């Protein structure tokens, strides 16, 4: 397990970035289905998925979205935050064996509320946009 960053509100600036990569595995998808209860055949049934327009199993969109929790809670801002909201736009599918890059860029900062606005993106190894959105996070100094 990685240690969470411990940034104070004053240490964070607009334009600041954080990112990490994750290799998507069948095991991750199995565990996510078990936790979420989402056993949709597009995610879990190889034969069904082969006959879809994607021709292979598609990773759960919310599995991808869950990595944004790691971004906010562990990287930027880290330990002293409370996730307030996150919108998600799903652009392209993710597949087993893809390596995704999860990135956040601080786009706004409110001194009065100590709330950050973070642009979030997830891309695959071909730099194809899979998911993007905006997170709002409060810093708990």
């Amino acid at each position: 397990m990685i240690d969470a960053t411990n940034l104070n509100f004053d240490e964070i600036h607009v334009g600041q970035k954080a990112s990490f990569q994750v290799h998507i595995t069948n095991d991750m998808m199995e565990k996510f289905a078990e936790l979420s209860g989402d056993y949709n055949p597009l995610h879990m049934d190889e034969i069904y998925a082969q006959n879809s327009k994607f021709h292979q199993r598609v990773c759960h969109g919310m599995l991808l979205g869950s990595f944004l929790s790691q971004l906010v809670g562990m990287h930027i801002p880290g330990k002293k935050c409370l996730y307030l909201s996150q919108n998600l736009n799903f652009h392209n599918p993710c597949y087993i064996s893809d390596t995704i890059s999860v990135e956040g860029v601080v786009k706004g900062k409110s001194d009065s509320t100590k709330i950050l606005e973070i642009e979030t993106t997830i891309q695959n190894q071909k730099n194809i946009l899979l998911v993007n959105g905006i997170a709002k996070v409060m810093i708990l100094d």
Side-chain angles (χ1 to χ4, degrees), residues 4 28-29 36 42 53 73 82 97 103 108 111 113 121 124 132:
M28 283 178 183
M29 289 183 53
S36 69
L42 186 58
K53 73 177 197 172
L82 176 65
S97 297
E103 181 176 277
D111 292 328
T113 61
T121 58
N124 68 13
N132 71 349

Side-chain angles (χ1 to χ4, degrees), residues 4-140:
T5 59
N6 195 19
L7 299 173
N8 293 315
F9 185 77
D10 293 336
E11 296 175 306
I12 299 166
H13 62 275
V14 172
Q16 192 165 342
K17 294 181 183 182
S19 65
F20 60 93
Q21 292 188 326
V22 177
H23 183 73
I24 302 299
T25 66
N26 182 65
D27 187 53
M28 283 178 183
M29 289 183 53
E30 295 284 341
K31 288 178 180 176
F32 187 82
E34 184 178 330
L35 287 170
S36 69
D38 183 355
Y39 289 93
N40 183 294
L42 186 58
H43 305 308
M44 306 307 295
D45 183 329
E46 190 67 46
I47 294 169
Y48 178 90
Q50 285 175 356
N51 291 312
S52 75
K53 73 177 197 172
F54 301 106
H55 306 292
Q56 59 185 307
R57 288 171 53 200
V58 174
C59 179
H60 301 77
M62 294 309 290
L63 172 58
L64 297 179
S66 72
F67 292 113
L68 298 175
S69 183
Q70 178 183 341
L71 176 73
V72 167
M74 301 301 289
H75 299 280
I76 190 167
K79 203 182 275 192
K80 297 178 181 177
C81 77
L82 176 65
Y83 221 142
L84 299 176
S85 67
Q86 173 75 57
N87 73 339
L88 298 171
N89 305 299
F90 298 99
H91 296 275
N92 289 290
C94 178
Y95 304 105
I96 296 171
S97 297
D98 277 354
T99 298
I100 61 168
S101 296
V102 180
E103 181 176 277
V105 180
V106 177
K107 290 295 190 179
K109 193 177 162 180
S110 170
D111 292 328
S112 62
T113 61
K114 294 194 175 183
I115 293 176
L116 303 177
E117 187 172 279
I118 302 171
E119 181 179 54
T120 56
T121 58
I122 301 174
Q123 297 181 319
N124 68 13
Q125 67 278 1
K126 297 177 182 175
N127 293 321
I128 295 171
L129 180 65
L130 305 179
V131 181
N132 71 349
I134 300 292
K136 291 194 178 176
V137 180
M138 181 183 288
I139 304 300
L140 308 170

